[in-house]
Amino acid sequence: MFRHAPTRATFLGALSAAAALPGIAMADTGVMPPSALNRARRVALVLSGGAARGAYEAGVVAGLVDAGYRFDVVCGASIGGINGAFVAQNDVDGLIGLWSSIHEHPLLVPKRAVRDVMAGIAAFEDPSHGLLSRPYDALNGIRKGVRDGLLRQIGVFEWSPVRAAASASLRLEDLRLPLMVSVTNVRSQRSEAIHCQPADTRSRVAVTNIRGGFAVHDVDAREPGNTDAYRDAVFASAALPGAFDPVEFRGEYFADGGVANNAPATLARKFGVDAIVAVLLDPHDESEKAIPKNFVELAFALYVANQRRTILSDFVVASTLSVGGQPPPSIYVVRPTRPLEIGALDFDRADRIENAIAQGRADGRLGPTLLPAYVQSA
């Protein structure tokens, strides 16, 4: 660990001095070409969260692979944890297939108690119902919801449709690269990680114990009966608070890793990497945004501001932390060249999903650029 918290100036100075991997020159465009990046001793792919915007992320991964980039370890948070599992299984085609067909699966299915209340509200707003009966219909829906456990719900959506869509493709025995997913421990209220190791000893990477770091739980493909634990780990990373219940993993309950560590570059440092390629889901955009018109828009705007600061902080730590006597890694990013048209909940919009995949693939083929451009705009 470091003696004092690194400052923004320290971070930028360190990156400016390093510029890129030692002895490796970047292209004139500022892009790190695959022929250069692949010469690094160990490269991590870091995938961030963003719900349905993960379609763009999947496209980026496909584009990077198309261009010849190779990775040794994978780290992910939230939807990036699910995407990362496919990458670690060397199944990019399966990842694109999942996203291309995801609109065929109703993923966001409300729980029964929530459906009761929604039905009551719909009846209240339905002009075909009698004026006097509408309040009764609404109250009856709320009454049913309370009876079915509305006040005891932690998440409003069922897990079963999500698990049905992806579980069959998540096979621990197919793991080819080490995977580490970010999770949030509900009991301790701390950011933690789950490390999934492939059976092939040639692909396994030891995790360095960083003093003062977060707890890491292990899932080993060489140990029988760990497939369910592997799936639980991946889904726990994507258990968005308020939307889904926390996931139980070996006696503890975990929620979305993106809450506290949405672009987990620090996880990659535990692998002792000397280069990180992170996929971000927001473009470089200095323009002023519209003033929020309601509490939902305001909450989202504040969430985005918090996530930008959280991601910046994580990159600062990852880029200034020396592990095992090795110098800090160089960090490169791929991010949208233009704003994404897909919303966080657009899982049922086939057109937007396909456009996001295509945009991501095109951006991925362009290659990653050095981090300072992102930091200076954060």
Side-chain angles (χ1 to χ4, degrees), residues 10-378:
T10 301
F11 178 45
L12 290 174
L15 282 178
S16 298
L21 291 171
I24 297 178
M26 298 182 70
D28 292 339
T29 58
V31 172
M32 173 58 73
S35 59
L37 189 63
N38 291 344
R39 287 162 54 193
R41 182 182 59 85
R42 186 174 295 157
V43 181
L45 176 66
V46 172
L47 302 176
S48 58
R53 297 193 302 166
Y56 169 83
E57 190 171 67
V60 169
V61 171
L64 288 169
V65 172
D66 290 345
Y69 291 92
R70 297 293 179 264
F71 306 99
D72 302 291
V73 297
V74 182
C75 300
S78 197
I79 196 64
I82 296 177
N83 287 344
F86 279 82
V87 179
Q89 291 177 192
N90 194 27
D91 190 14
V92 176
D93 289 340
L95 175 62
I96 297 299
L98 172 70
W99 280 103
S100 296
S101 62
I102 205 166
H103 65 279
E104 301 172 0
H105 309 279
L107 295 183
L108 303 180
V109 178
K111 293 180 178 178
R112 179 176 177 179
V114 178
R115 294 199 303 270
D116 291 337
V117 176
M118 293 172 64
I121 294 174
F124 182 77
E125 296 177 343
D126 188 348
S128 66
H129 286 229
L131 184 62
L132 295 179
S133 67
R134 290 186 204 173
Y136 171 80
D137 292 334
L139 291 174
N140 190 46
I142 295 173
R143 180 184 62 80
K144 288 182 178 179
V146 172
R147 181 197 63 193
D148 291 334
L150 177 68
L151 301 182
R152 298 190 300 274
Q153 301 303 317
I154 298 177
V156 299
F157 298 117
E158 299 280 4
W159 261 118
S160 53
V162 179
R163 287 182 175 269
S167 285
S169 299
L170 298 176
R171 296 180 292 268
L172 182 60
E173 63 271 21
D174 290 344
L175 206 62
R176 296 293 177 267
L177 298 176
L179 170 70
M180 193 179 295
V181 294
S182 171
V183 293
T184 303
N185 190 314
V186 175
R187 193 193 308 270
S188 68
Q189 301 175 10
R190 294 179 182 275
S191 178
E192 299 183 3
I194 302 176
H195 175 210
C196 306
Q197 282 274 44
D200 189 343
T201 56
R202 293 170 298 178
S203 300
R204 296 167 69 88
V205 177
V207 172
T208 302
N209 182 28
I210 302 175
R211 183 166 53 86
F214 36 79
V216 177
H217 310 267
D218 291 306
V219 176
D220 195 329
R222 296 182 302 183
E223 298 176 1
N226 266 344
T227 293
D228 287 342
Y230 171 58
R231 291 169 177 163
D232 288 341
V234 173
F235 290 127
S237 185
L240 183 65
F244 297 100
D245 291 346
V247 174
E248 184 179 4
F249 176 86
R250 295 176 178 170
E252 292 286 349
Y253 286 86
F254 295 97
D256 196 309
V259 171
N261 199 359
N262 198 36
T266 46
L267 298 190
R269 284 306 286 135
K270 280 185 168 286
F271 284 122
V273 302
D274 48 15
I276 294 172
V277 175
V279 181
L280 305 178
L281 301 181
D282 290 305
H284 175 84
D285 185 4
E286 296 287 353
S287 63
E288 292 187 359
K289 309 301 184 294
I291 297 175
K293 297 185 292 293
N294 53 56
F295 78 93
V296 175
E297 292 185 1
L298 176 61
F300 182 75
L302 296 176
Y303 171 78
V304 170
N306 178 69
Q307 285 298 312
R308 288 182 62 153
R309 177 53 53 183
T310 300
I311 291 172
L312 172 61
S313 176
D314 196 61
F315 283 166
V316 167
V317 172
S319 294
T320 55
L321 179 62
S322 177
V323 177
Q326 299 173 2
S330 297
I331 301 183
Y332 308 89
V333 297
V334 179
R335 63 190 313 179
T337 51
R338 65 179 188 278
L340 298 178
E341 297 178 355
I342 187 171
L345 300 181
D346 286 341
F347 291 102
D348 59 344
R349 295 294 301 270
D351 55 337
R352 294 184 179 180
I353 289 174
E354 288 301 325
N355 289 340
I357 293 173
Q359 182 180 345
R361 198 158 204 155
D363 289 346
R365 286 171 174 167
L366 293 176
T369 57
L370 194 63
L371 178 63
Y374 166 74
V375 175
Q376 292 166 358
S377 69

